[in-house]
């Protein structure tokens, strides 16, 4: 009799486990977990409704079964979105944490400017001047086919962005314009109009540190109104008046 009792008990336990799994599966797929609210956080430059339009079909989907990869790809279609993370607030709320691309420079184009980030991503074209000013990159021609979200693979632009990335943070407010000539020699114009000739290179860190030290020197300040240019292409900086 013992083998028969053992077999019966095993059968009952197996059936109970199967019913439990089926029940849990139905519960997890039930409307109890349907998304009713979506919160979008981290927006500063992007209007809220532009991200909401990309997530309109998410409401009503099951929070547990949500295809996050597919939703991420949709949100990343916005040129100002660098990345997005999701947080599930059970039972029915989804939070999107958006990291925006940050403009670092403006590229002059016909009848306007184009904002670009540090990687050379085309963010948006503006017909007027933005509320927050950024250094202007001149001497770089964008192709007519360029558009939002595209990475601009232009040697002159890459060189100018490399220069900006190497500038001390304290110097950034002084940088008004970067001119890149056809052979990628860099000329920087300070916000007070002084021309800074940096020459051709791919490492400007030391020159830019020296520039910041120079323009903050008390001796330089005493005669800076007569300064037209500062030339860093020689062994030592030359001040032209």
């Amino acid at each position: 009799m013992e083998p028969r009792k053992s077999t019966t008990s095993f059968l009952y336990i197996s059936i109970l486990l199967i019913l439990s799994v089926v029940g849990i599966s139905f519960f997890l797929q039930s409307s109890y977990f349907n998304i009713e609210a979506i919160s979008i956080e981290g927006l500063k430059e992007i209007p809220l409704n532009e991200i909401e339009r990309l997530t309109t079909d998410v409401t009503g989907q099951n929070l547990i079964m949500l295809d996050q990869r597919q939703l991420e790809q949709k949100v990343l279609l916005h040129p100002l979105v660098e990345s997005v993370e999701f947080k599930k607030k059970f039972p029915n709320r989804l939070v999107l944490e958006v990291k925006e691309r940050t403009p670092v420079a403006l590229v002059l184009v016909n009848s306007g400017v184009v904002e670009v980030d540090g990687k050379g991503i085309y963010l948006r074209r503006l017909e007027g001047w933005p509320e927050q000013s950024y250094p202007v990159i001149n001497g770089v021609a964008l192709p007519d086919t360029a558009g939002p979200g595209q990475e601009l693979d232009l040697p002159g632009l890459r060189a100018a962005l490399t220069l900006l990335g190497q500038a001390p943070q304290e110097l950034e407010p002084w940088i008004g314009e970067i001119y890149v000539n056809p052979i990628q020699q860099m000329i920087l114009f300070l916000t007070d109009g002084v021309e800074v000739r940096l020459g051709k290179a791919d490492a400007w860190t030391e020159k830019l540190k020296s520039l910041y030290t120079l323009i903050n020197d008390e001796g330089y300040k005493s005669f800076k109104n007569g300064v037209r240019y500062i030339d860093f292409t020689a062994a030592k900086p030359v001040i032209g008046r």
Side-chain angles (χ1 to χ4, degrees):
M1 296 296 293
E2 288 302 321
R4 181 175 297 177
K5 284 183 179 180
S6 235
T7 303
T8 303
S9 297
F10 176 76
L11 182 60
Y12 285 154
I13 292 172
S14 298
I15 293 173
L16 183 60
L17 285 173
I18 292 171
L19 291 175
S20 297
V21 170
V22 171
I24 291 171
S25 178
F26 274 110
F27 175 65
L28 294 179
Q29 297 180 56
S30 71
S31 60
Y32 180 73
F33 294 103
N34 285 357
I35 298 171
E36 295 183 2
I38 301 173
S39 300
I40 301 171
E41 301 176 353
L43 301 184
K44 295 179 180 178
E45 297 289 333
I46 307 172
L48 177 62
N49 66 337
E50 293 185 6
I51 302 299
E52 287 178 335
R53 282 200 295 267
L54 297 172
T55 61
T56 51
D57 60 345
V58 174
T59 303
Q61 291 190 38
N62 185 283
L63 183 62
I64 297 171
M65 310 299 290
L66 178 68
D67 188 339
Q68 291 185 190
R69 179 60 180 163
Q70 184 181 50
L71 180 57
E72 178 187 31
Q73 290 176 339
K74 287 185 64 176
V75 176
L76 289 177
L77 290 174
H78 197 292
L80 290 182
V81 175
E82 182 173 349
S83 63
V84 59
E85 293 184 0
F86 304 98
K87 289 185 178 179
K88 296 178 178 180
K89 303 290 185 178
F90 289 97
N92 54 19
R93 181 168 168 252
L94 180 67
V95 178
L96 277 67
E97 293 187 350
V98 176
K99 180 181 179 183
E100 296 179 320
R101 297 187 187 279
T102 304
V104 300
L106 305 172
V107 180
L108 290 176
V109 294
N110 291 332
S111 303
V113 293
V114 168
E115 291 180 333
V116 295
D117 72 357
K119 297 178 181 178
I121 303 293
Y122 184 129
L123 301 183
R124 56 188 173 186
R125 185 181 184 280
L126 307 172
E127 293 186 0
W129 211 254
E131 292 183 8
Q132 182 174 348
S133 185
Y134 301 97
V136 175
I137 297 175
N138 208 342
V140 174
L142 301 189
D144 295 335
T145 54
Q150 181 180 345
E151 184 173 356
L152 302 168
D153 188 17
L154 305 170
L157 178 61
R158 286 202 307 269
L161 292 174
T162 298
L163 186 152
L164 282 175
Q166 294 177 4
Q169 187 174 1
E170 301 83 0
L171 182 63
E172 291 176 4
W174 289 83
I175 302 175
E177 179 183 345
I178 299 172
Y179 174 71
V180 187
N181 72 11
I183 58 173
Q184 294 181 43
Q185 289 179 325
M186 314 297 288
I187 300 175
L188 187 154
F189 292 91
L190 302 181
T191 52
D192 60 7
V194 174
E195 176 184 334
V196 181
R197 302 169 185 174
L198 294 172
K200 184 178 181 180
D202 56 5
W204 290 279
T205 303
E206 293 306 316
K207 288 184 178 181
L208 294 172
K209 285 181 180 179
S210 297
L211 173 62
Y212 180 73
T213 300
L214 175 61
I215 62 178
N216 283 279
D217 181 78
E218 291 302 323
Y220 174 84
K221 289 180 180 179
S222 67
F223 61 82
K224 72 174 185 177
N225 290 337
V227 175
R228 292 190 298 108
Y229 68 84
I230 305 171
D231 192 341
F232 276 92
T233 59
K236 294 183 179 180
V238 176
I239 297 176
R241 303 180 69 180

